[in-house]
Structure formats: structure tokens, C-alpha cells
Amino acid sequence: SQIKLHADYGGLVPELASRDHVRKLIPLMNQLLEESKIQKSEIDAIAYTRGPGLMGALMTGAVFGRTLAFALNKPAIGVHHMEGHMLAPLLSETPPEFPFVALLVSGGHTQLMAAHGIGQYELLGESIDDAAGEAFDKVAKMMGLAYPGGPNVSKLALQGSATAFDFPRPMLHQGLDFSFSGLKTAVSIQLKKVAGQNREADIAASFQEALVDTLVKKSVKALKQTGLKRLVIAGGVSANSRLRERLEADLAKIKAMVYYAEPALCTDNGAMIAFVGYQRLKAGQPDGLSVTTTPRWPMTELR
Ligand code: KG4
Ligand code: ZN
């Protein structure tokens, strides 16, 4: 984890991230091979994250992964980061079957997708401004909580009242798109109004409730619109326990099921990238010899 590296800055610093990747990729690989008692020669293929994301970090991983594959004379597969998140719940003990609706909520993305099969993804709606995780991180920063903000805001929310403040649920009745920047501004105004009154926990709980409420209602709407009965939630924010609780309750009412990955597979991890690489290898889709990165890459462009 690089959390300590970025914590002093209150957010992720791209250049520090990629320099640290350069330093740690080889020791990390050696440690993993040792722990899992696997020889390099036993590796069948190398999957790496091709995009979307920060160019420096993508380049580091792509050059490393592609080069390693070349050296071992094995196929390489450049994987879509959000497809990794979306399919991570397939690694759980009770994996969902296709088709399903996916709610992808990370630091950079908030999207509702209809997934009909591997590579058959239809965008139903997305955030027109801040991502859900980004809203958590910015609210955390306003409250002086450490990076990454999501887990810290939700921990503080446990001590507050979710109904203390009635924060806006933007675009609730407009299609399946999201907007969280107005909610963030409302929180900022409220924090200033009650400064010194020790109301941070109430604000955290009410903010979380407004955001979760929006995610839940739009997910239910997406299920109704598509007629699907399975919802997969993925990405860092899918680790949020209030979101899980509310989804379990509201989906039961419409006889739909919610699926998610185990906590360690919700936030960024290598297993989800390896899993998608395996699926794409099986589908006969290894990449060529070039090192490819795609910082902006809509998932609907996948085959
Ligand atoms: O998917 P992820 O690990 O990285 C990206 O691809 O962005 O997601 C990170 C995001 C951060 O914004 C973090 O604050 C948020 O997920 N997050 C949470 C929780 N755990 C992580 N947000 C709310 N509640 C959580 N428990
Ligand atoms: Zn991620």
C-alpha cells in the first residue's frame, strides 16, 4: 500500500506514486513468487493494468508487465481497471451470473453498467462531476480527516446521526446519471455554519446517508429499467458498510440480489487484474508486442 506515502499530502501525488512503483515492482514480484511458491517459469501469462488512470503509474506497470512477458516468452494482456473492479465479485464464494447491473464506485468513477457477458457492457449512467469516492475524500479533507477519506468518514459517521442534516440528493429524479459536487458544497457550507460546535460526526453521517441514498435509489431504478434481478457493486466505495446495509434492505423489497467482493478485493488489488487477464486470455485476446496504455478508456469500447 502507498497510503502512508500520500497521506501527508491529503491525496494521491502522481509522480510520487510512479517513482515508488519503479522502486517496488521487482521486490514485490519476488516476494509474491516466494510466498506462493511459484517459479517464474510456471507463469502462463502476464496481465497488467492498461488504463484508465494516471499516465505515469500506468506506464510503469505496463512497461514492467509487457517486458516480463517478453522475457518469459508468454502472452501479455492489458486489462481495463474498472473491468477488474466489476468482475472481482466473480472471485467470491457465491459469484453472480450474467447478466447483471453493476454499480461501479471508486475514487475516479461512478457508473451504472448493464453487463451481459465478458466484454458486453452497456453504460446506463455515470457521474457528470465528482466520483462517489472523490466526494468522500474531499469531505474528509474538509474535516481534517486523513487520506483516504472514505473509510475515515464512514467510521466517524458511526457516532453521528444520519438525519441531523438534510443534505441534497442531486439529480435523484433525472435518469441514471449522478452529480455529487453540489452535495460536497452543501457539506462545506454546513461545516462552516456549525464550526466549533462539535457536529462533525453528524455531518459525516448525514453526508454519507445522502450519498448512499442516491446510489441505492439509482441502482434500484437501473434494475427496474433493465428488468435485471442482480446488482454487483464494485470499487473502493463498495466496501462502505452503510451502502451494503441499505442495498440489502432495498433490493430485498424488489426481490433482487446484491453481490460484492470480499473487502480486500473491493479496493485496488492485483487479483482482480489477474482474473480479467485470465478471462481475456481464454477468449483468445492477448495483446501484441507494443506497450499500450490508455489513460482515458470507456469500458463500453471493450470487446
Ligand atoms: O477502487 P479504489 O480502491 O481506487 C480507485 O480506483 O479509485 O477506490 C478508492 C476510493 C477512495 O475514494 C476511498 O475513499 C473510497 O474508495 N473508499 C471508501 C471506503 N473504502 C474506500 N468510501 C467509503 N467508504 C469506505 N468504507
Ligand atoms: Zn480502483
Side-chain angles (χ1 to χ4, degrees):
S1 170
Q2 291 192 332
I3 286 175
K4 272 204 207 98
L5 182 71
H6 300 290
D8 286 347
Y9 302 90
L12 195 147
V13 186
E15 185 62 22
L16 289 184
S18 48
R19 285 188 203 186
D20 197 47
H21 290 149
V22 171
R23 264 196 301 272
K24 293 191 179 143
L25 271 169
I26 291 174
L28 178 66
M29 176 188 68
N30 289 335
Q31 185 187 328
L32 281 172
L33 290 171
E34 206 167 289
E35 278 173 16
S36 49
K37 301 197 170 27
I38 286 174
Q39 305 287 319
K40 275 197 211 96
S41 57
E42 291 174 77
I43 296 173
D44 296 310
I46 310 282
Y48 62 87
T49 303
R50 175 176 151 189
L54 300 165
M55 193 46 144
L58 290 174
M59 280 305 292
T60 313
V63 169
F64 178 76
R66 188 66 200 84
T67 308
L68 184 62
F70 183 73
L72 298 174
N73 198 21
K74 300 289 179 187
I77 306 108
V79 168
H80 194 291
H81 181 79
M82 295 310 293
E83 187 180 26
H85 276 304
M86 190 171 80
L87 299 188
L90 296 182
L91 288 166
S92 63
E93 269 173 42
T94 48
E97 278 173 35
F98 288 107
F100 53 76
V101 169
L103 173 68
L104 305 174
V105 273
S106 70
H109 289 80
T110 302
Q111 294 183 323
L112 274 165
M113 290 269 177
H116 303 286
I118 303 275
Q120 291 172 270
Y121 312 130
E122 180 193 344
L123 182 67
L124 302 172
E126 63 185 333
S127 177
I128 59 165
D129 42 54
D130 293 0
E134 194 180 356
F136 266 106
D137 293 340
K138 286 179 177 169
V139 165
K141 206 168 181 179
M142 289 176 208
M143 293 185 164
L145 298 172
Y147 166 86
N152 289 325
V153 170
S154 66
K155 211 183 286 165
L156 184 62
L158 289 174
Q159 298 156 31
S161 156
T163 52
F165 298 97
D166 188 19
F167 286 127
R169 275 85 164 143
M171 298 180 71
L172 203 54
H173 304 290
Q174 296 157 43
L176 293 174
D177 285 338
F178 303 88
S179 166
F180 293 118
S181 113
L183 170 60
K184 180 190 68 189
T185 309
V187 169
S188 153
I189 293 169
Q190 197 55 247
L191 272 170
K192 282 179 196 131
K193 266 195 206 156
V194 298
Q197 296 176 24
N198 205 13
R199 300 291 306 275
E200 277 78 6
D202 283 341
I203 291 184
S206 303
F207 155 75
Q208 175 174 264
E209 199 62 20
L211 194 139
V212 163
D213 196 33
T214 311
L215 294 177
V216 171
K217 290 197 168 128
K218 297 261 176 180
S219 300
V220 167
K221 207 177 199 176
L223 287 167
K224 285 184 177 162
Q225 191 177 305
T226 54
L228 297 174
K229 289 289 178 192
R230 285 180 286 267
L231 178 77
V232 165
I233 57 168
V237 183
S238 71
N240 184 277
S241 42
R242 184 64 186 148
L243 176 64
R244 291 182 171 198
E245 211 173 84
R246 283 282 318 270
L247 279 173
E248 301 269 2
D250 283 35
L251 263 55
K253 287 182 210 157
I254 56 165
K255 296 195 165 53
M257 282 277 289
V258 57
Y259 297 84
Y260 34 70
E262 60 176 271
L265 297 180
C266 284
T267 46
D268 289 352
N269 66 87
M272 70 184 196
I273 302 303
F275 181 68
V276 173
Y278 172 58
Q279 298 300 327
R280 298 219 159 256
L281 189 70
K282 274 201 305 190
Q285 296 183 349
D287 293 345
L289 278 177
S290 63
V291 175
T292 332
T293 53
T294 314
R296 290 184 169 275
W297 190 11
M299 211 158 82
T300 43
E301 283 176 10
L302 294 171
R303 289 172 295 143

